Amino acid sequence: MRTLCPALANKTYFNYGGQGPLPTPSLQAITASWQRIQELGPFTGAVWPFVEQETARVRQALAALCDVGPHRIALTENVTSGCVLPLWGLPWSPGDELLLSDCEHPGVVAACQELARREGLEIRWLPVLELCTTHGQNALDAAVLAGLEQALTPQTKLVALSHLLWNSGSVMPITAVAARLKQQPNQPWLLVDAAQSMGAIPVEEAAAAADIYAFTGHKWCCGPEGLGGVALSERLLEQAQPTLIGWRSLRHEASAGSSFHSDARRFEVATSCVPLCSGLATSLELLAAQGTAAQRLERIQAGSRRLWQGLQTLEGVNTLLPEPPPAGLVSFTLAGRSSAAVVERLGEQGLWIRRLDDPDCLRACTHVTTTEAEIDMLLDALRALA
Amino acid sequence: MRTLCPALANKTYFNYGGQGPLPTPSLQAITASWQRIQELGPFTGAVWPFVEQETARVRQALAALCDVGPHRIALTENVTSGCVLPLWGLPWSPGDELLLSDCEHPGVVAACQELARREGLEIRWLPVLELCTTHGQNALDAAVLAGLEQALTPQTKLVALSHLLWNSGSVMPITAVAARLKQQPNQPWLLVDAAQSMGAIPVEEAAAAADIYAFTGHKWCCGPEGLGGVALSERLLEQAQPTLIGWRSLRHEASAGSSFHSDARRFEVATSCVPLCSGLATSLELLAAQGTAAQRLERIQAGSRRLWQGLQTLEGVNTLLPEPPPAGLVSFTLAGRSSAAVVERLGEQGLWIRRLDDPDCLRACTHVTTTEAEIDMLLDALRALA
């Protein structure tokens, strides 16, 4: 896999959580898809079977990863579309409460704030960041559930909680949260931002348990930018209306009087880039050839553990998590150094990590393509800066 | 241009209004863009200037075509996103009326119907199709404005009218409609679906006059599928809130407390496919090398006139328009034949036109790449079927 990624050939790369490298076979699949579309179409009776085949291929692959039927997968442009589009079409009433974890991505938070403004909803916060920095992963699950218990009210209509937190790198107990929400009298919706989990850890149980499980293909799945998806629950498909409506949302695309698709396609919109489907499907096949999701996670964890342990030996460095990370995100601070300056200095050496604003910290990611030598180079460079 | 398009090499193509062919240099630009992103990034300090450059390049090219500042252009995935996203964020009150022409695309109509359902709005219809079939283009403008006069009420808050009607192929008097709406006490918004006009006819006056002028790059501009844009008026930028919100909508992308961009980027969402920007910019350059928009329209009209005139000589064939079309869309019926069967029979001969549902008819498009020989082949084939 590593040798198939030109992005990894000329740099030491730790930003998989920002964007994954695109393997050459995936780019070739994208180009071949475009050429085939030109040969058959682009708008002819001969091209539709090919378009349908490539779309169905990636939908089925994503459905298999989520362990749901393909009818529960909507293809989207990015993880934000997957989170936000189904959200807007839920049946809201003024006074309903949205309970957001304090580790959600700014885009999702801003979308919830705008929804709350228009619909007269209340936003409440579920504090999980501090729990992450003070609990090991095993104790963390119980602490998060205890926090949820305190935060739920009879007005809570939705809980937004990422599966793998983008800042601390902790895994959230999504299936246990889903089970708890089922016991609430008004059964709040569960929105899960899966930007960091899809392609990095096994997701099937969480994806099947959430109402909205939204992911992208361009991070840990190593697919092209501009294509993601969302797994939707049966009850959401029954109760939520689409908001951004186009011909792909409609059962009979040529008629405005048409009803919406009854399956997840009601949340798809209009023309998108079909060749990206060919690219993502290829990337998913390349990843699958590296082992099962559980096997790949073991390799990811071996890398992040090596990095986390190495960071413990550096003066002035503090990891956010008190124990080796459950996946590939390793966040830390470097005392007395501006995070932006550290990123820049490392970049000058061809070593790429990123900084986060909230909390202000540095984040390095290990994937199945990360080598021990790369991790040791990063540790050496940080030692020189520390 | 024609020789640069593999899609035109092995078929006789008249579906530019569905999707334009992608020139080989545009596909090469897309591939090169992806390779450059891998070389520099994909997520590094070194890649952002390239991403910004390619995004700005296409934004500026589209702004120039629309004769508006680049701050008024939002990049979108497709024409539906461009129409519908700004629409949802306008300040609606129950009882407001949406006045839609009877020639709008089903996707836009369905989106307006859902908006009306949620916000308690009324939908009214502006009949233009019958005017198109009974008036020459010069008389049509006055007839449409007279129809508008009759249809406007004090409650009209938005008018939706395509610039170039996708079914009849008539041009609508957008600037005159915009001027008339300015005289209404509550100044209704003007939403223009520019799916068929952008890349086919000069659009600058209409784009600058509308509040929402939404287009795609993958039809008459011959760009890749999955990238379009929308030109937005200054008053819309001041008064409309974004709905589908992500990091690209936010002034400070890392902070959920951030305000939205004050310019059109507030309607952009999150990660999209940057290489498509490189492809569309290349296609626009290739088109510009064919002449000005006015010069290209003359060539397009020469083709559509030849086709329209030829159709007059065929037994059982009726064109929708009573005179040669103002642009490249030629719609007609063939008495006693199912439209679907005609499309299929022609397709078997490598001749591609499409059918439309409302009104039930056939549509063939001519672009600057269309040859007289192609038009004559289509006429011969239709003569054999008629």
Side-chain angles (χ1 to χ4, degrees), chain B residues 147 241 281-282 363:
Chain B
Q241 292 288 94
T282 301
R363 189 186 78 187

Side-chain angles (χ1 to χ4, degrees), chain A residues 6 54 91 109 139-140 165 217 236 242 267-268 275 279 312 333 338 360:
Chain A
E54 291 304 286
V109 175
L140 181 59
L165 300 183
L236 186 138
F267 295 103
E268 298 181 358
Q312 308 305 315
T333 58
S338 106
D360 180 8

Side-chain angles (χ1 to χ4, degrees), chain A residues 358-371:
Chain A
D358 187 20
D360 180 8
C361 65
L362 298 158
R363 191 186 76 187
C365 302
T366 64
H367 204 340
V368 291
T369 45
T370 305
T371 64

Side-chain angles (χ1 to χ4, degrees), chain A residues 30-279:
Chain A
I30 292 169
T31 308
S33 186
W34 248 308
Q35 288 167 336
R36 186 81 177 130
I37 288 169
Q38 299 305 305
E39 186 190 342
L40 297 169
F43 193 102
T44 65
V47 81
W48 307 136
F50 177 75
V51 167
E52 177 53 30
Q53 166 199 302
E54 291 304 286
T55 309
R57 185 178 153 218
V58 78
R59 195 191 303 276
Q60 281 162 11
L62 295 170
L65 290 173
C66 293
D67 196 24
V68 302
H71 69 286
R72 285 178 55 186
I73 299 287
L75 301 176
T76 65
E77 192 178 17
N78 45 53
V79 66
T80 298
S81 318
C83 283
V84 179
L85 281 178
L87 182 68
W88 277 94
L90 289 169
W92 300 109
S93 303
D96 285 347
E97 292 175 6
L98 311 178
L99 179 61
L100 315 188
S101 99
D102 61 354
C103 288
E104 298 310 299
H105 195 278
V108 173
V109 175
C112 286
Q113 287 169 335
E114 176 64 11
L115 177 69
R117 188 187 68 78
R118 287 200 216 167
E119 301 279 346
L121 316 180
E122 296 290 328
I123 292 193
R124 296 183 176 270
W125 298 97
L126 176 67
V128 296
L129 181 59
E130 197 190 335
L131 302 178
C132 295
T133 63
T134 50
H135 293 68
Q137 185 68 43
N138 283 340
L140 181 59
D141 287 4
V144 168
L145 288 166
L148 177 69
E149 204 62 52
Q150 281 207 315
L152 283 174
T153 80
Q155 285 73 47
T156 309
K157 275 299 280 182
L158 177 128
V159 173
L161 182 62
S162 295
H163 192 177
L164 180 48
L165 300 183
W166 77 304
N167 41 21
S168 78
S170 305
V171 172
M172 293 290 101
I174 298 299
T175 47
V177 168
R180 174 62 189 85
L181 295 183
K182 282 223 175 71
Q183 296 164 16
Q184 282 293 96
N186 62 357
Q187 306 212 348
W189 306 95
L190 177 57
L191 162 63
V192 178
D193 177 340
Q196 298 300 331
S197 53
M198 188 68 155
I201 65 176
V203 303
E204 59 266 30
E205 288 181 4
D211 291 295
I212 301 173
Y213 192 86
F215 49 85
T216 173
H218 84 296
K219 292 181 187 283
W220 296 89
C221 295
C222 298
E225 54 272 49
L227 178 61
V230 56
L232 299 164
S233 67
E234 299 284 3
R235 68 168 184 154
L236 186 138
L237 291 175
E238 282 162 20
Q239 294 180 48
Q241 292 288 95
T243 296
L244 189 51
I245 298 159
W247 60 267
R248 275 169 66 189
S249 328
L250 301 175
R251 192 189 297 262
H252 302 291
E253 62 180 71
S255 163
S258 166
S259 55
F260 302 122
H261 279 298
S262 58
D263 62 22
R265 288 175 296 170
R266 59 169 41 201
F267 295 103
E268 298 181 358
V269 182
T271 303
S272 61
C273 186
V274 171
L276 301 184
C277 294
S278 314

Side-chain angles (χ1 to χ4, degrees), chain B residues 117-204:
Chain B
R117 188 186 68 79
R118 287 200 217 169
E119 302 278 345
L121 316 178
E122 295 290 326
I123 291 193
R124 294 181 178 274
W125 298 96
L126 176 67
V128 297
L129 181 59
E130 197 189 337
L131 302 178
C132 295
T133 62
T134 50
H135 293 68
Q137 185 68 43
N138 284 340
L140 180 59
D141 287 4
V144 169
L145 287 166
L148 176 69
E149 205 62 53
Q150 282 206 315
L152 283 174
T153 79
Q155 285 73 48
T156 309
K157 276 297 281 180
L158 177 130
V159 173
L161 183 62
S162 295
H163 192 178
L164 181 49
L165 300 183
W166 78 303
N167 42 21
S168 79
S170 305
V171 172
M172 292 291 100
I174 298 298
T175 49
V177 168
R180 175 62 190 85
L181 295 184
K182 282 223 173 70
Q183 295 163 18
Q184 282 292 97
N186 62 358
Q187 307 212 347
W189 305 97
L190 177 55
L191 162 64
V192 178
D193 178 339
Q196 298 299 329
S197 54
M198 188 67 155
I201 66 176
V203 303
E204 58 266 30

